[in-house]
Amino acid sequence: MKEHPIPAAWLKFLPFGYAAVTALTFAALLPGLQVTPTVAALTFPFAQLALLLRAVSRTGLAGRGLAGMLWLLPSALLAARALCLTKDRRRRAEVAALWLLALVIPAALYLMANPLALTAHIPMTDGRALPLLSALPVAAIWSCVILYLVVRLTRSIGTSGAPRLMVFLFYLVALLGAAIAAGIGVRLLGAVKNFTGGQDRQATDIIMAALRAAASVLSDGLLLMVVLRALQALAAMFSRSEAAASAVDSLVAAGLMALKVMAMATVAVNLSQLLLLRWLSDVSLAAEIPLTGLVLSLAALLFARIYTESRRLEAENELFV
């Protein structure tokens, strides 16, 4: 099996890539403030493709033919890939997931390009619900994509050695960083909505909203820093370079700092709301506790400490031998 090394040279450009993901997420969701950010983020790429197909199909007979070809192109590519893998018995589940995805994508694109088809059998639904109803076919697409990825990853992980598993972990952590960067864009959008949502808000409400937004963005930013340090450590461990120990130590320091700052920011936000309660007209009933960030930072810290201790024990055993 061909090994794909970790692209360590790309790490210096990765922060700019994550910044671009944040900016693109914010810019993509900004025009539709009335739509739930998560729903808009999931539907955006497929909604744009559906709008393109509908626009092309209205240009005439040639346009309808071109739109039909573009509509069937993803399914044709997936079907070709499934046919190539049919002879490999170990990939039967993977082939089934590809065929399912090849059937779901055109059906979902048709429903999104023809939104009235979504409400034909729902008489109580008006036009205002179309942005939310469009998430239903997209959810079907994403569920099939996740099914295919899970099937492929489980097969690959079960038949791979340690170097390839480390490559899988590297790309998984990089994908996690992209999700965190997109989450920062969503949080910034939420902050914009909070600051522009009401005209009669008091100064204390504005201060509290700014504290909540700053704490959320700070937590995600620190978690993104931990992700970058983890990627650097994985790249150094994969290449077995002498910088692996210092990279892991840097990950430990980043994890400790992230945990401490997240905890202090959480205390500051919740205590500030409690102290300013009598002057607030907008009180958040949800506890501002970044559990995901705390758990992921703690997991990175534990991973780094386990690696450090294993290296120390290995060095001691070599001395005894």
Side-chain angles (χ1 to χ4, degrees):
M1 183 180 294
K2 182 180 179 180
E3 293 294 340
H4 298 278
I6 290 177
W10 294 2
L11 289 177
K12 57 184 178 182
F13 302 109
L14 203 55
F16 301 103
Y18 286 155
V21 170
T22 299
L24 288 174
T25 303
F26 182 83
L29 302 182
L30 188 59
L33 290 177
Q34 74 278 5
V35 182
T36 305
T38 304
V39 174
L42 290 174
T43 60
F44 178 75
F46 298 103
Q48 299 306 309
L49 180 57
L51 290 174
L52 174 64
L53 293 176
R54 185 168 60 180
V56 172
S57 65
R58 292 179 176 178
T59 59
L61 182 60
R64 286 194 292 271
L66 179 60
M69 292 174 60
L70 293 175
W71 176 56
L72 294 175
L73 180 61
S75 295
L77 295 175
L78 291 171
R81 177 61 178 169
L83 290 175
C84 293
L85 300 177
T86 302
K87 295 181 179 180
D88 192 347
R89 295 186 176 181
R90 297 175 301 175
R91 296 190 172 186
R92 287 181 177 177
E94 201 173 320
V95 170
L98 282 173
W99 280 115
L100 180 62
L101 190 57
L103 294 174
V104 169
I105 286 180
L109 288 177
Y110 175 81
L111 292 175
M112 296 187 71
N114 301 274
L116 294 180
L118 290 169
T119 59
H121 303 288
I122 310 178
M124 300 301 293
T125 304
D126 55 15
R128 292 174 298 177
L130 285 178
L132 294 177
L133 286 177
S134 63
L136 297 178
V138 173
I141 294 177
W142 282 117
S143 61
C144 293
V145 170
I146 292 173
L147 174 63
Y148 170 73
L149 292 177
V150 168
V151 169
R152 181 170 180 176
L153 282 175
T154 51
R155 182 191 60 80
S156 298
I157 290 174
T159 58
S160 300
R164 190 171 179 83
L165 291 177
M166 195 170 293
V167 173
F168 279 134
L169 182 58
F170 178 88
Y171 284 110
L172 182 63
V173 174
L175 183 61
L176 174 63
I180 295 169
I184 294 176
V186 173
R187 291 186 186 278
L188 290 175
L189 179 67
V192 171
K193 291 175 63 177
N194 288 333
F195 284 114
T196 59
Q199 303 297 329
D200 56 348
R201 304 180 70 181
Q202 302 178 7
T204 50
D205 292 323
I206 296 175
I207 293 173
M208 197 64 236
L211 281 175
R212 292 194 193 105
S216 298
V217 173
L218 178 62
S219 297
D220 286 342
L222 289 170
L223 187 55
L224 198 56
M225 178 191 67
V226 173
V227 166
L228 290 171
R229 297 291 175 83
L231 292 174
Q232 292 172 357
L234 285 171
M237 291 162 59
F238 180 83
S239 61
R240 299 182 180 274
S241 65
E242 297 180 355
S246 61
V248 172
D249 290 339
S250 179
L251 175 60
V252 170
L256 286 173
M257 185 177 71
L259 285 172
K260 293 176 181 178
V261 175
M262 284 183 191
M264 290 188 290
T266 301
V267 171
V269 170
N270 291 320
L271 285 183
S272 297
Q273 180 171 259
L274 185 61
L275 293 174
L276 299 174
L277 187 60
R278 59 179 299 183
W279 296 286
L280 293 175
S281 60
D282 182 16
V283 179
S284 176
L285 299 179
E288 301 289 339
I289 302 176
L291 289 178
T292 303
L294 291 172
V295 170
L296 290 177
S297 298
L298 184 59
L301 178 60
L302 291 174
F303 169 77
R305 289 297 301 150
I306 290 172
Y307 175 80
T308 302
E309 287 300 313
S310 65
R311 294 290 293 176
R312 183 181 63 82
L313 292 174
E314 183 180 345
E316 291 181 353
N317 290 334
E318 289 179 355
L319 289 177
F320 282 114
V321 173

